[in-house]
Amino acid sequence: MGCEQSQHAAPVGEDAEYLTSACNGKGVNAAGQLSAVHARTLTGHASTSSTLGSSPLGAPKETQSQFVVGVARQTRRLAAGGGLRGTQSTATSSRGVLLRQSFETVQLPGEVSSADNITHIAGAKIRRRPPGHPSYSAVTLEWLARDFLARHPVIVRERMTSRQVMSHVIIPSTTRTNYCGIMTMEGGATADVVSRGREFYYVIHQWGRPFTELFQMLMQHFSPQAQHVWRPGKPVLWWSEIYIWLDLLAVNPHQPRSPAQLRTRHEVIQDAKQTLMVLDPMGGVLGRTWCLYEAWLAARRGAPYLVMLSYGVDLEPLQSAFLNMDIVYARASRAEDMHAIRAEVEAGAGAPLAMALQLKSALISGAIDLAKQTSLLSLRNIMPEAPKAADRWDVITRAALMCQIYGRFLNAEALLRQLVFAQGRMMGNDHPTTLVSRHRLASLLKSQSRFKAAEELCRVVLGVRRRYDRIPWSKLGPEDPATLSSEELLASILQSRGLLEDAQPLLAHVISGRERVLGPSQRKTLEALASMASLQRARTHRERER
């Protein structure tokens, strides 16, 4: 799950054996109830620290990445077992019955629900809220990886979306409270993984995307390497110290929707240390009403409180999604939620356009601040080895692209020129990584209508990429996707300058190369065909004018 360097697997222990046998149907008696051993495991009564040790992620010297590899291998091993297929529903339904029985036997008439027992702990850092407030229902990232995903391997095996996790896992396991309420009711080690007043991170995510995609993004953001970037000079946080607020686990799914939920959600975001907006590869989170509303609430606190997680996501295809980020055009599963949120936005921002501007400004400011921080630390040599230079460059590249999308060309140019200088000094101006940044700089110059400077830089990059075909170990060449992208950019620049005859053969080569390398129906091939059609129309129009 994203940690290829580790060669050690986390200890499997008895918990995995219990889970395997439960999913295989073992330990289920004739009455359809789980045995005592499996009941303790599946409901969390068994201590999770007894098997994996007292360190944040397993053995005392085991790193976080090693532990995640262990969890991934464990879940894959369980999912590969033939007994999982066809018997998962029995185990899941039995577990749901068990949790409901457990809840109903504890709650007596006239008593408060278990969620109301989630109160402040000694040394809590967030403001005091009424008992049962959702701000107390964040969970550790360690528990999410070690217990929740291992307890429900179907989430990984079937790539369940967050909506499916809610309907197939959360709701069957609860009746009158949220998932964290049951964990707190059980007490012991299970209750310790609930925040109950400790600092936490609020997570915004789209329910229509795989839950494992969300977990992988969090895993990468809180890796030691990434923490050195956004927490410079501070000790690395163990996953047992990181509390994550997920609406799936913190919100009571059995409680009817009411306008008070908007106020409660606002309070949770105010209590959060930071709000993390998880960007999916399709940019769907930018078009959901609830997601935009939550991000806007965080943006009103200030740029440092809203962070977009986009590790491994290509931002260039999502430019239109960023530009069209507007609560008016966003979608929601429930029409009443959409109308209530829009009314709340109009009352707070005055107009949806003002809300969109506040949100976009916060995203840009946060990206620029992180890029500047990364650059200063690199120049001062505070982080000589960790994180790697590639991680710092990725932060600067994403900040520059965000600035370019929203028209802040001067900021984007300053960041890209700094990046080109740093990469050229470390690896050389003709290195493939440096060429990517120089290509982006040429594209930015074109966006500013500085066609002459853009053409000069693009021709240099294209010439170097074409020459790489003579180097045996190089993957670059005349028909490499990177080379074809430079040709397409040069053709676009020439077309903007009115040199249509010079641009046409370049585009023709791009189309033929992409059809052979990528395929005729690939997105970039279709984009090149659209550019050729636009060029042909321009030539036809010019000939008619003559």
Side-chain angles (χ1 to χ4, degrees), residues 103-244:
F103 178 81
E104 292 169 355
T105 55
V106 172
Q107 184 171 351
L108 299 177
E111 289 186 336
V112 296
S113 67
S114 60
D116 294 335
N117 293 328
I118 306 180
T119 57
H120 251 57
I121 61 171
K125 294 186 177 181
I126 69 171
R127 70 186 71 182
R128 186 172 296 277
R129 296 291 187 184
H133 195 277
S135 289
Y136 299 155
S137 296
V139 296
T140 63
L141 189 59
E142 177 191 19
W143 173 86
L144 192 64
R146 186 172 66 182
D147 290 357
F148 186 71
L149 290 180
R151 202 182 279 182
H152 306 287
V154 66
I155 297 176
V156 179
R157 187 183 71 240
E158 302 294 339
R159 284 185 59 84
M160 277 187 172
T161 64
S162 297
R163 185 174 290 106
Q164 291 171 332
V165 172
M166 171 62 80
S167 60
H168 298 317
V169 176
I170 304 298
I171 292 179
S173 302
T174 58
T175 54
R176 306 177 189 177
T177 183
N178 58 13
Y179 201 91
C180 291
I182 290 183
M183 295 165 58
T184 306
M185 176 192 66
E186 293 171 351
T190 306
D192 291 339
V193 303
V194 182
S195 60
R196 295 182 296 168
R198 302 180 182 92
E199 289 184 338
F200 64 92
Y201 294 88
Y202 188 100
V203 178
I204 301 174
H205 61 108
Q206 187 195 6
W207 278 34
R209 298 296 304 177
F211 185 82
T212 53
E213 187 178 273
L214 161 67
F215 172 71
Q216 289 172 354
M217 193 70 77
L218 293 174
M219 180 181 67
Q220 193 160 356
H221 182 66
F222 288 105
S223 65
Q225 208 168 22
Q227 287 190 46
H228 280 297
V229 174
W230 57 271
R231 279 175 53 87
K234 298 180 180 179
V236 173
L237 294 174
W238 293 102
W239 284 8
S240 59
E241 303 171 320
I242 300 169
Y243 288 87
I244 302 297

Side-chain angles (χ1 to χ4, degrees), residues 229 369-378 383 392 395-396:
V229 174
D369 291 343
L370 182 58
K372 289 181 178 179
Q373 184 183 39
T374 303
S375 304
L376 290 175
L377 291 173
S378 178
M383 301 179 296
R392 301 195 295 268
V395 171
I396 298 175

Side-chain angles (χ1 to χ4, degrees), residues 44-57:
H45 288 296
S47 174
T48 56
S49 60
S50 61
T51 304
L52 297 180
S54 59
S55 68
L57 292 176

Side-chain angles (χ1 to χ4, degrees), residues 297-372:
L297 292 177
R300 294 177 67 181
R301 298 181 62 190
Y305 294 100
L306 178 61
V307 178
M308 176 171 285
L309 307 187
S310 58
Y311 302 100
V313 178
D314 188 4
L315 299 183
E316 293 187 7
L318 304 180
Q319 294 189 32
S320 60
F322 278 103
L323 292 174
N324 299 327
M325 189 172 54
D326 196 326
I327 195 73
V328 174
Y329 306 107
R331 302 182 304 277
S333 301
R334 295 164 54 94
E336 50 268 33
D337 289 350
M338 182 172 59
H339 297 317
I341 289 175
R342 288 182 182 178
E344 186 76 13
V345 169
E346 291 177 358
L353 178 60
M355 176 250 191
L357 292 177
Q358 291 177 5
L359 182 53
K360 293 174 183 178
S361 177
L363 291 176
I364 296 173
S365 300
I368 292 177
D369 291 343
L370 182 58
K372 289 181 178 179

Side-chain angles (χ1 to χ4, degrees), residues 479-482 484-485 488 510-528:
E479 291 188 353
D480 181 83
L484 296 176
S485 296
E488 185 180 29
V510 170
I511 293 172
S512 61
R514 285 181 174 171
E515 286 179 345
R516 285 192 296 269
V517 177
L518 303 177
S521 60
Q522 210 269 347
R523 179 179 60 87
K524 288 189 173 294
T525 305
L526 299 177
E527 289 177 355

Side-chain angles (χ1 to χ4, degrees), residues 81-97:
L84 283 177
R85 300 187 180 275
T87 59
Q88 177 63 30
S89 59
T90 303
T92 303
S93 61
S94 301
R95 178 176 180 273
V97 170

